[in-house]
Amino acid sequence: MRYVPVKKLEPDMVLGQEIYDSEGRLLMTKHTVLTDENISFIIFTGVPGIYIDEDFSEDAKAEEVISSEVRRSALRIIHDVFVKAQEHESGAEKDLSRIVDRITREVIASEDVMQNLISIRTHDGYPYFHSVNVAVLGGILGAKLGLNEEELHDLITAGFLHDVGKVFISVDIINAPRKLTPDERAKMMDHPRMGYDFLRENYHFDENILQGVYQHHEWYNGGGYPRRLEGHGISFIARILKVADVYDAMTGKRSYHDPYLPSDVLEYIMGRNAMEFDPIVVQLMSQELCVYPVGCEVELSNGQRAIVLANRRGSIMRPRIKLRDSGEVIDLTEDRKAWNLTITKLLI
């Protein structure tokens, strides 16, 4: 499998993944042979790139943490919750609990799996894709940090719901491609409190979940909002969600910024260690986050290009790669002849 930006898609390439919309509806099936027509459709959805199947990169395989079917179901449920919230109505609580149960089990079963793939999302469904991504990434981090099943269930639920308060804010403010006015910024900074109040009044979630939603914008040094909590005064769930939220928001395309590279986002997170983020969570991210996802093309310090085949824990900057020109496979961590090589650019 190889990740290909949409501008480089060509007819007869074979789709290596499903594409679905923000309600979990299937738009295009895996193994579809691309034509000019469906390439145009993919571009129309706003997806920045997709994975394709090909002989050259068939050894680039990444195990997904949760199945496509579960991810699609989660999107549909979160879409329903957010739409009902706009009318100040509750709904889908039992469905949400059931999908969280499934994701919790899959995360626990996949505890040794690294997050290896680029998230694919359509342009019109950012809140729903983002909520699912934060829940899943938060669950992965929580499992690796030793949370038990009940704690993981609370963490994943809070991840799904962390931004529900934004449905009470004008989309013109949320999607403004400019600096917000002081009044607009104050409204944005109130979304954790509004989400907490809405969920407390309309659902039956445990307080751990509600506080995860309320506190996900607090900073470890006390510089966050809405209550300027600090350190261990912030729930561990919220400290994990803080990192997952920032990572997914920065690597996704928004009206006010293009996606940042995973390596740049990790540098940002590490640079704000013990300031914005909990050092325990940052340390885990620095060991586990794949800054060069499997299937992506990279440029090397000698000018050659390669496909990333596999990543390894504790050596996230030195994956196993396959050179595009010769097909030679090189382990940047273990191959002595490659010790002078570095990856200089992720080509996405």
Side-chain angles (χ1 to χ4, degrees):
M1 60 185 298
R2 177 165 62 95
Y3 180 82
V4 180
V6 289
K7 62 185 178 182
K8 294 186 178 180
L9 291 176
E10 297 178 358
D12 296 325
M13 286 182 171
V14 178
L15 190 61
Q17 64 178 127
E18 292 180 343
I19 300 177
Y20 37 83
D21 67 11
S22 60
E23 297 182 50
R25 295 175 299 199
L26 188 63
L27 300 178
M28 198 170 295
T29 59
K30 187 176 180 179
H31 305 313
T32 296
V33 179
L34 298 184
T35 63
D36 287 324
E37 183 178 11
N38 52 32
I39 289 173
S40 296
F41 176 72
I42 291 171
I43 293 171
F44 173 75
T45 67
V47 170
I50 59 171
Y51 286 93
I52 65 165
D53 283 334
E54 62 177 9
D55 291 340
F56 182 83
S57 57
E58 64 179 351
D59 293 332
K61 298 177 181 178
E63 184 179 349
E64 291 197 66
V65 177
I66 65 169
S67 66
S68 175
E69 180 230 334
V70 169
R71 189 177 288 273
R72 287 175 58 195
S73 295
L75 279 168
R76 175 181 55 78
I77 293 166
I78 291 304
H79 179 273
D80 290 348
V81 170
F82 277 48
V83 169
K84 287 183 180 295
Q86 290 175 327
E87 304 299 325
H88 292 267
E89 297 177 357
S90 62
E93 184 168 348
K94 290 182 179 179
D95 288 341
L96 179 60
S97 181
R98 281 194 289 266
I99 201 68
V100 171
D101 284 341
R102 292 190 63 181
I103 292 174
T104 300
R105 290 194 297 269
E106 293 195 12
V107 165
I108 291 172
S110 305
E111 188 175 343
D112 290 334
V113 176
M114 300 175 76
Q115 181 80 336
N116 256 313
L117 299 177
I118 292 176
S119 173
I120 307 300
R121 50 190 133 192
T122 58
H123 70 85
D124 62 341
Y126 176 84
Y128 317 117
F129 285 101
H130 175 65
S131 296
V132 173
N133 290 344
V134 169
V136 173
L137 179 55
I140 294 169
L141 296 174
K144 295 177 187 299
L145 288 165
L147 270 60
N148 61 37
E149 186 169 347
E150 182 179 353
E151 292 168 329
L152 282 174
H153 190 280
D154 288 350
L155 169 61
I156 292 168
T157 303
F160 277 131
L161 301 170
H162 75 285
D163 269 348
V164 69
K166 285 186 176 179
V167 305
F168 308 119
I169 300 172
S170 167
V171 293
D172 293 335
I173 294 176
I174 291 175
N175 295 325
R178 55 173 172 77
K179 185 176 180 179
L180 298 180
T181 67
D183 181 62
E184 290 171 336
R185 178 164 175 76
K187 290 178 180 177
M188 278 293 292
M189 292 174 67
D190 198 33
H191 81 266
R193 194 270 309 166
M194 290 191 289
Y196 170 83
D197 286 346
F198 168 75
L199 295 172
R200 181 171 52 82
E201 293 166 5
N202 293 277
Y203 287 86
H204 303 91
F205 295 120
D206 290 342
E207 189 64 21
N208 285 341
I209 296 171
L210 298 179
Q211 289 300 326
V213 172
Y214 203 173
Q215 299 175 19
H216 75 276
H217 276 294
E218 301 288 357
W219 284 24
Y220 193 75
N221 71 352
Y225 63 87
R227 291 180 289 170
R228 300 187 70 84
L229 304 177
E230 61 181 296
H232 288 214
I234 308 168
S235 77
F236 196 32
I237 283 177
R239 282 179 271 151
I240 295 171
L241 288 180
K242 172 66 177 172
V243 177
D245 179 35
V246 168
Y247 176 78
D248 189 72
M250 291 184 69
T251 53
K253 180 176 176 58
R254 301 304 312 277
S255 57
Y256 43 85
H257 73 69
D258 287 329
Y260 293 95
L261 295 176
S263 54
D264 292 341
V265 178
L266 182 60
E267 285 284 354
Y268 173 87
I269 290 171
M270 293 174 67
R272 299 173 84 85
N273 182 32
M275 178 174 64
E276 188 172 351
F277 307 107
D278 183 336
I280 293 174
V281 186
V282 173
Q283 182 180 16
L284 177 67
M285 290 282 280
S286 68
Q287 297 169 343
E288 295 279 346
L289 185 68
C290 297
V291 295
Y292 302 118
V294 167
C296 287
E297 189 170 353
V298 294
E299 186 172 279
L300 305 175
S301 53
N302 63 1
Q304 290 183 292
R305 294 188 173 187
I307 301 295
V308 176
L309 297 183
N311 283 283
R312 67 172 70 235
R313 286 181 179 80
S315 188
I316 59 174
M317 307 299 290
R318 311 284 295 172
R320 187 159 58 91
I321 61 173
K322 185 175 185 179
L323 298 181
R324 291 284 287 165
D325 56 359
S326 66
E328 180 184 3
V329 175
I330 300 174
D331 190 318
L332 291 177
T333 299
E334 294 190 347
D335 290 354
R336 300 188 109 188
K337 63 183 179 181
W339 285 359
N340 64 330
L341 279 179
T342 59
I343 294 175
T344 59
K345 189 183 297 184
L346 177 63
L347 303 172
I348 60 174

